[in-house]
Structure formats: structure tokens, C-alpha cells
Amino acid sequence: MKKYLIKGLLALVVGGFTASCADKDGDYVPVGQQKATAYADAFKELIGGEVAPNHDWGFTKTSIVSETSQARTRVAETNSNEWFTGTNPKFVGLVKPADVTDREEEVVTKWFKDNRNPSSDPISLSTFFVQQVHFGDKVYTAIGNNNTEYSVVGGNQMDWLCAYSDTEREVLNYYPYEERAKSVEGHDDHINNFNTSEPKRDDPDNSDGFHNMQLMMYSSTARFGFQESFNSQNDRIYYNYVLKAIEVDGVVGYYVGFDYESHGNQGDFNPDGYYDDRIVKIVPGNGIYEYTPGGGSSSSSTSTRTDRIERRRLVSQGRIFCEDLGTDAARMTKSDIDFNDAVFDAKIWRLGQYDVTYVNGTYSSETDYLTGIYPNGLENGKFKYVAEIRLLAAGGTVPLKIGGNYGFEIHSKFGEGNNRTITHTTIINTMGAPSQANFSTTVSTETCDAVTVEVDITSLVAGKSEIGLDIIPIDVEWVSQTGQSVGELTADFGKVPQKLCVPIGTPWIYERIPITDAYKDFASYATSRTPLFWDGTKNESLLYPSIPEGMTAETGETGDVNTNPYHDTVVTEGTTTTTTVTETVLWEGEITFANASGGSNSEEFTLYSKDFAVGDKMRIYGEATGNDPWVSIHAVNNGSWINYAGCVVTSPYTDIVVTQDMINAMTLKTALWGKFCKVTKICKVVTTTN
């Protein structure tokens, strides 16, 4: 754009000069409005028409979703095929199901495509494998905001498959591995390995990073669902599924078919009644690990360390081209529009901290994001949002500030980063031979290295459901013969843009070169959104060399804040704590209790107070044989049997915490009473930590 160095203009913005404008025009028109109007006229002349009514100028939005609202995975393994090796103690004895064949996919997919709105054939499983069968390519269309038609492949958007669960595992010991189920409030249990791009059936070793199978433990086949990722409704689960028994060449298997649905800003995509958008197979899990009682005494040690992690998850990224609308509205022409008045790369990051626990050096679990970590954060201080900005060029000569209240003036920041003083009247990293041929005004120029700055934008994100790079404020201070004004550059939907968002790495234009001269397809891009001008025909000689060095684009999953690339940093490394558990057999045998207590349904044995301390555990191994199974520890006190402790019997064992009263009673005759259970062993368990 053309630059003018104006001295002493503020002296003109007074008295009769301004009044005469008001008298002539009837009402005073603010400088910012004058400039925007003149710029819009020049832009339309540049592109030879009106802008596309549905243009977003590259500033696409990303949904802001709390990760805590997602379906949870308690036992679905993130290292999916770990159990194939048989070395994980959690899965000892599991039998890997046969791979899904091409023939099986063909028959099952055809069944779901041919049968509309079928009924389910329910089965009841708590441990089962989920296998990939079919990833549909059916296209759904809908009319959304601004009468825009959207098309999506349903299967591509169903990337959080989940199953119902009302239990979870409680780890009792890692070496040897022991666990038991406990009841929890019902929820949707994320089938973790199916939150990916298209899973591959023909990749059993997971060699290309995809997953084709998932083991679910303490889960349920009572309900299945999916989360939809296209329509800003990621916290909603759709339960559009059918569980069906289908015979393939004489063998009956169970298959779950899903029918795509979505509702939101991009319109309503309704189910068509055919459950073929995604299909998975459900295979019962056989041979689950069970504890085998032993004898004598044994010890195991577990080392635990908990680290505090900060995760920076990418929300949006791109390169921003800015047009500051010039120094004088009256002189704006289409030849001024070069979109290099400010050029910078930007990434918006969401920061959250959580604790990760390692057991014996191996990842074990992690907490939800921690509340109150960021004093000015969102969701009770769980998340902070920052804009990482890398300044590349400043082709304007008016003050231009990035980042709002927490931001900076771009010219002076270039100076700070390059150890010099640079005023706003200096052009930075846009001059070259093409510019000199068209640039008639003498101004100061600089060549500078890139400068990186981080700006807290948490307050700007508050209250928004989706954001893009246009959330970063870019303010310009305009001065003209009729006044001065500060305004924010805009890229409103379907209106003339004052800034553009392009891919990181896109070259900017030399000074005083219209954007249409360098990027030949820009006019078409502006009027019809195609082609993307940075991928089209270019005059390379009019594009500034690729210095200074910009950001490196993040690669990986895209779509919403919960699937985008992220980086973890250890904030605080925890202290390793070693816990040793020693188990000593005190009594071993086998007794089955019927529906009675005492008499023939009791077993006398001797326990010694010297063997116990308050807080030790008495571990009773056994299993239920009927309803309401329980056992109790009795001792004789003043000639009568007194109940000192009791518990409901669960497999493989149940622990009772030793009290002082129990220790006092152990010098007398002791007996085990119970009903509807079988007991095989009683042990003392001592836990020490250092």
C-alpha cells in the first residue's frame, strides 16, 4: 500500500477546518468510517465485483469444548495392542479373537445397507473386544447458517465411539497384578482406539499408527453411542445404533451399526435409518485373569511418582496478512492494497495442567485438568489461552498494535527484538526492487529478524463457544486531514476484509505491489472463494523472499481443541515413593458356609496379637456361593463369642483393617463365621512406604 509521512497533521485537526467539513457534509464522518468506506470501494474495484457472501477469509472457527465433558476411558488401553504380547498382567490368559475378514465385512455391510430401521439382538457382556468392520463413505448434506450448504461424510465425523458402563476396575496390586470391580455411577465409556482417523482392519500390528481392535473391561453392551465432530456439538452423544446377530458362512457374530446424525450451526443432518456409517464387531473376552491362592509369605514393591504436566493444545494456526487502510482515506486506490502492513504467524494454544502418575516407571493414570491453576483462567481456572505470535513484516507507517490490552505495537517490538529503536514510520521487511520501481515517497526502511511474542487472550475467549485467529485484536491508529481514530481491523463474514488468514509459510508481497499482481487468482478467491489464491498462479518475482524465518506449522489431528496437536512440559517432577506390600499366610484350608452362622459353619483358628499392628489388613480369600455372602472374625470374651469384624465376601479376596479391639481379642480363641461363601485362606497384609 502507498505510504505517506505526514508531519504536523494534529495541528490541522482543530476549529474551522473540522467545522467546515461538518457544515459541508451535514454531519461529521469519523476517520475510521471514512477509511473503511474508501477502502471497501477500492477493494471491490481491485477484484472487479462483490465479495462472496459466505467468505470467511481463512478465519475458520474451532469449537471450544471441555475435555471433561467427553466420554471417559477407564480401562481402554491407549497402547492398544499391548495385550497381544501376553506380557501385560492385566490380560493374562486372554484369547485374541480372529481378524475380521473381507468376506465378513462384505456380508455384514450389505446386511446393514439392505435393512432399514432394524431391531437389536441384545447381548449382555462386561468384557469384550471391539473390532473394526466397516468405515462408511456415505455423504450427508444440510443447509446451515447464511443458507450455506454443507456436505460431510458421516463416518468421518463419528470418532468417539463409546459403550455404557456402571462399573470400573480397582487396582489392588500391580506385581502380581490384582484387581476387582466396583460399582460407579453409570456413564459412557469411550472406546479409545476408535477415536482416530479411519481404523484399518488389515493392520493387526498397528504398524501405521491406526488401531483395529479394543479390549473393554468392566464395560457394558447395554448401550452404544458416538460423538459428532463437525457441527460444534462435541459434548453431545448420539445413541443411533443397532446391535445385531448376523450369520456369515454359518458362523453367527454380533455387530454394532451406527447411523450418522448431527445438529448445529451447519444445519441438521438427520438419520436415514440405515446403520452403515460405521460398523464394529463385538467379541466376548475369554480367559480373564484370576488370582490363584498361594502359601507362605511374599512381598512386592511398587514405586510411584506423580508429575505435574502442562499441556499446550493447539486451537488454531495460520499466517495473517494485514491491510491498515493507509494514511489518508481520500487517497486510497486499488493499487494501495498489498496486504503487507503487518505480517505475522500466529498459533492459539490452550494451556491446562494435570497430574500424571507412573507406577514402576510405567504410565499408570492421570487426573482431570486441575482447578484453580490459572488465576484468570476459564472453567474455574482450569484453562488459559495464549496467542503465540511471530512477527515477520511491517509494511505500514501508522501505529499498529496486536493483542488488545495485553498487546504491543509491532514496529517497536521489532526494535526490541533486534536491539534497536524503530518508530512506526519505518517499513520493515517489505522493500525490494519491485517496490522501488513503484514507491515514490522517501521513508525509513529496516530489515529485521523475526520476533516471537506471547499474549494472554484468556479474557477474549471467555463466553465463546468457538474461536479462530480473528480473535486476536489488531488495532490501527489512523490520522488524516480530518481527524484521528483508533480502530480494529476486521474480516467480517461476507464483507470486504482488512486482514486475511493464509497457511503458515505463504509468502507476502513486496511493498507497493497490488495483491492481484502477485497472486493472480486473488480476485476469483475474493468473489467466489475458489481457488485458494496461495495455491494458484503466482508471480514469484513479486513475492518477498522467505526471510525472516516464520513458524513451523503443527501437524496431526485437526477439528476441535480436543484432537488438535499438543505439547507437554513437566512443570514439577514428583518424588518417587516406594510402597512394599508383604502378605503372610495365617490360615489356609477350605470351608464352605451355608445359610447359617456358628456351629458347623464356623472354623476355629489361632491369631496372635504380636503378628498385627493397628492399620494392618486381614485379607480373606474366598468367593460367594449364594446371596448376601459374608464372613466375620469372632473371639471368646467372658465365655461368649463376640463379633469383632466382618465383611461381604468378594472374589478373589476382601480386606479388613485391623483395629485395637481386634488385636486385644487375638490372645483368646478365635473363629471365622460366615454364610453363603467359600473361604480358602486368611493372610496378614502389611504395607510400608518410603
Side-chain angles (χ1 to χ4, degrees):
M1 112 163 292
K2 189 180 294 182
K3 311 296 187 281
Y4 301 91
L5 183 59
I6 302 176
K7 298 181 180 179
L9 281 181
L10 292 180
L12 300 177
V13 190
V14 293
F17 185 84
T18 304
S20 65
C21 292
D23 293 339
K24 179 180 179 180
D25 299 333
D27 291 302
Y28 171 68
V29 179
V31 175
Q33 184 177 334
Q34 295 179 52
K35 301 182 75 58
T37 300
Y39 170 73
D41 291 341
F43 186 89
K44 293 175 183 178
E45 183 182 358
L46 176 75
I47 64 174
E50 298 290 331
V51 301
N54 60 344
H55 218 313
D56 65 4
W57 306 109
F59 291 98
T60 55
K61 298 290 195 299
T62 293
S63 299
I64 299 299
V65 182
S66 167
E67 291 187 12
T68 58
S69 68
Q70 303 296 332
R72 297 183 295 139
T73 299
R74 299 167 292 99
V75 296
E77 293 297 302
T78 54
N79 298 322
S80 65
N81 298 325
E82 180 180 20
W83 49 268
F84 281 1
T85 65
T87 60
N88 189 328
K90 282 177 284 188
F91 309 136
V92 170
L94 270 176
V95 179
K96 173 180 177 273
D99 293 335
V100 175
T101 64
D102 292 341
R103 167 67 174 166
E104 189 174 1
E105 179 185 8
E106 177 187 2
V107 173
V108 171
T109 302
K110 184 177 187 302
W111 191 97
F112 279 105
K113 288 182 179 293
D114 291 345
N115 292 273
R116 189 179 188 188
N117 295 320
S119 60
S120 286
D121 299 324
I123 56 174
S124 179
L125 298 173
S126 61
T127 299
F128 54 91
F129 293 94
V130 182
Q131 292 180 283
Q132 175 68 14
V133 176
H134 178 71
F135 201 91
D137 57 6
K138 189 188 307 178
V139 177
Y140 290 78
T141 60
I143 304 298
N145 291 350
N146 302 302
N147 292 320
T148 301
E149 181 176 293
Y150 295 92
S151 297
V152 298
V153 175
N156 289 341
Q157 311 304 324
M158 303 161 68
D159 44 17
W160 279 75
L161 302 191
C162 52
Y164 179 78
S165 182
D166 58 7
T167 56
E168 65 181 28
R169 65 183 173 90
E170 179 181 20
V171 177
L172 303 172
N173 190 40
Y174 279 88
Y175 295 94
Y177 185 84
E178 302 167 49
E179 66 179 37
R180 62 183 172 189
K182 66 177 181 178
S183 297
V184 296
E185 182 180 353
H187 64 275
D188 292 285
D189 191 13
H190 172 205
I191 306 173
N192 191 62
N193 291 351
F194 288 78
N195 182 29
T196 66
S197 300
E198 179 179 351
K200 304 292 184 66
R201 285 196 300 102
D202 56 355
D203 182 31
D205 297 323
N206 190 30
S207 59
D208 67 357
F210 293 98
H211 310 295
N212 64 1
M213 191 180 299
Q214 177 65 58
L215 172 66
M216 305 298 289
M217 298 173 65
Y218 304 125
S219 194
S220 173
T221 53
R223 182 177 72 193
F224 293 91
F226 63 87
Q227 292 181 332
E228 193 278 334
S229 63
F230 175 71
N231 217 345
S232 302
Q233 300 288 318
N234 299 50
D235 57 344
R236 176 175 177 179
I237 297 179
Y238 293 89
Y239 301 104
N240 303 331
Y241 77 94
V242 170
L243 174 58
K244 199 68 184 176
I246 300 176
E247 182 178 329
V248 180
D249 298 334
V251 179
V252 176
Y254 281 88
Y255 305 88
V256 181
F258 296 90
D259 188 9
Y260 179 69
E261 179 181 8
S262 173
H263 302 283
N265 296 333
Q266 279 70 44
D268 295 330
F269 299 84
N270 294 308
D272 59 8
Y274 292 98
Y275 293 80
D276 58 349
D277 291 303
R278 289 197 71 171
I279 304 172
V280 298
K281 184 178 183 180
I282 304 301
V283 181
N286 300 311
I288 293 300
Y289 175 93
E290 292 184 358
Y291 181 83
T292 301
S297 181
S298 62
S299 296
S300 62
S301 295
T302 303
S303 296
T304 304
R305 187 187 83 243
T306 299
D307 293 346
R308 176 69 50 84
I309 301 293
E310 182 170 74
R311 172 165 292 176
R312 295 169 63 98
R313 189 180 288 278
L314 185 70
V315 177
S316 188
Q317 64 180 340
R319 177 165 290 178
I320 309 299
F321 290 169
C322 298
E323 182 56 56
D324 66 13
L325 314 193
T327 54
D328 191 349
R331 296 176 179 174
M332 172 62 67
T333 67
K334 65 180 182 180
S335 63
D336 295 333
I337 302 175
D338 49 21
F339 279 100
N340 68 7
D341 296 328
V343 180
F344 61 92
D345 288 342
K347 295 177 182 178
I348 294 178
W349 299 97
R350 189 188 72 178
L351 279 60
Q353 293 187 16
Y354 59 96
D355 290 337
V356 177
T357 299
Y358 300 90
V359 176
N360 294 333
T362 302
Y363 166 84
S364 172
S365 63
E366 63 186 49
T367 66
D368 182 21
Y369 283 98
L370 301 172
T371 298
I373 292 298
Y374 306 102
N376 299 317
L378 301 182
E379 294 188 36
N380 297 317
K382 285 186 177 181
F383 299 118
K384 175 182 177 181
Y385 288 82
V386 298
E388 181 187 4
I389 295 170
R390 188 162 177 83
L391 303 177
L392 302 174
T397 58
V398 296
L400 188 147
K401 183 179 180 182
I402 298 175
N405 294 335
Y406 300 98
F408 53 88
E409 203 285 318
I410 185 171
H411 300 82
S412 63
K413 187 62 68 174
F414 263 117
E416 291 176 20
N418 289 272
N419 297 316
R420 67 191 77 160
T421 299
I422 300 179
T423 66
H424 71 263
T425 56
T426 300
I427 292 175
I428 303 169
N429 294 339
T430 63
M431 291 296 293
S435 309
Q436 294 164 355
N438 298 284
F439 200 82
S440 59
T441 302
T442 300
V443 294
S444 174
T445 65
E446 287 273 7
T447 299
C448 294
D449 292 334
V451 177
T452 300
V453 187
E454 191 163 276
V455 179
D456 188 333
I457 61 169
T458 305
S459 61
L460 303 177
V461 176
K464 291 181 170 56
S465 61
E466 56 182 16
I467 64 172
L469 290 180
D470 59 335
I471 199 174
I472 303 172
I474 306 171
D475 296 319
V476 178
E477 182 180 335
W478 294 302
V479 179
S480 76
Q481 284 97 343
T482 59
Q484 69 181 103
S485 176
V486 175
E488 182 177 346
L489 299 185
T490 62
D492 293 335
F493 195 82
K495 296 183 180 180
V496 171
Q498 299 164 4
K499 55 186 178 181
L500 306 170
C501 184
V502 298
I504 289 175
T506 303
W508 59 94
I509 303 165
Y510 276 111
E511 187 61 43
R512 196 68 174 90
I513 302 295
I515 191 171
T516 49
D517 286 3
Y519 287 104
K520 300 296 186 179
D521 297 312
F522 183 80
S524 176
Y525 171 77
T527 56
S528 64
R529 299 185 68 186
T530 58
L532 302 176
F533 72 86
W534 53 85
D535 289 335
T537 303
K538 296 182 281 289
N539 184 339
E540 301 285 352
S541 67
L542 300 181
L543 299 177
Y544 197 79
S546 56
I547 54 173
E549 185 176 353
M551 288 181 173
T552 299
E554 303 286 333
T555 59
E557 300 283 350
T558 58
D560 68 73
V561 72
N562 296 315
T563 59
N564 280 357
Y566 62 85
H567 303 284
D568 285 348
T569 302
V570 177
V571 177
T572 305
E573 183 173 317
T575 301
T576 299
T577 300
T578 301
T579 301
T580 302
V581 179
T582 302
E583 182 179 283
T584 303
V585 177
L586 302 176
W587 173 89
E588 190 166 18
E590 182 174 316
I591 181 171
T592 300
F593 296 104
N595 186 19
S597 298
S600 61
N601 286 298
S602 66
E603 179 78 8
E604 294 187 13
F605 55 93
T606 301
L607 298 176
Y608 297 98
S609 58
K610 65 180 178 62
D611 292 330
F612 289 92
V614 174
D616 289 348
K617 293 178 181 177
M618 184 178 294
R619 180 163 291 176
I620 301 175
Y621 285 92
E623 62 184 35
T625 59
N627 295 327
D628 190 25
W630 60 266
V631 294
S632 60
I633 304 296
H634 280 62
V636 174
N637 189 338
N638 294 325
S640 300
W641 286 105
I642 304 297
N643 182 351
Y644 283 94
C647 63
V648 176
V649 176
T650 57
S651 176
Y653 60 78
T654 305
D655 286 338
I656 299 175
V657 178
V658 175
T659 65
Q660 187 62 55
D661 285 345
M662 291 176 63
I663 292 176
N664 294 340
M666 287 177 192
T667 57
L668 305 174
K669 184 168 62 174
T670 315
L672 183 71
W673 294 20
K675 69 174 184 177
F676 286 144
C677 65
K678 179 173 67 175
V679 176
T680 57
K681 185 168 56 172
I682 298 177
C683 298
K684 178 186 72 171
V685 177
V686 178
T687 301
T688 58
T689 302
N690 53 46

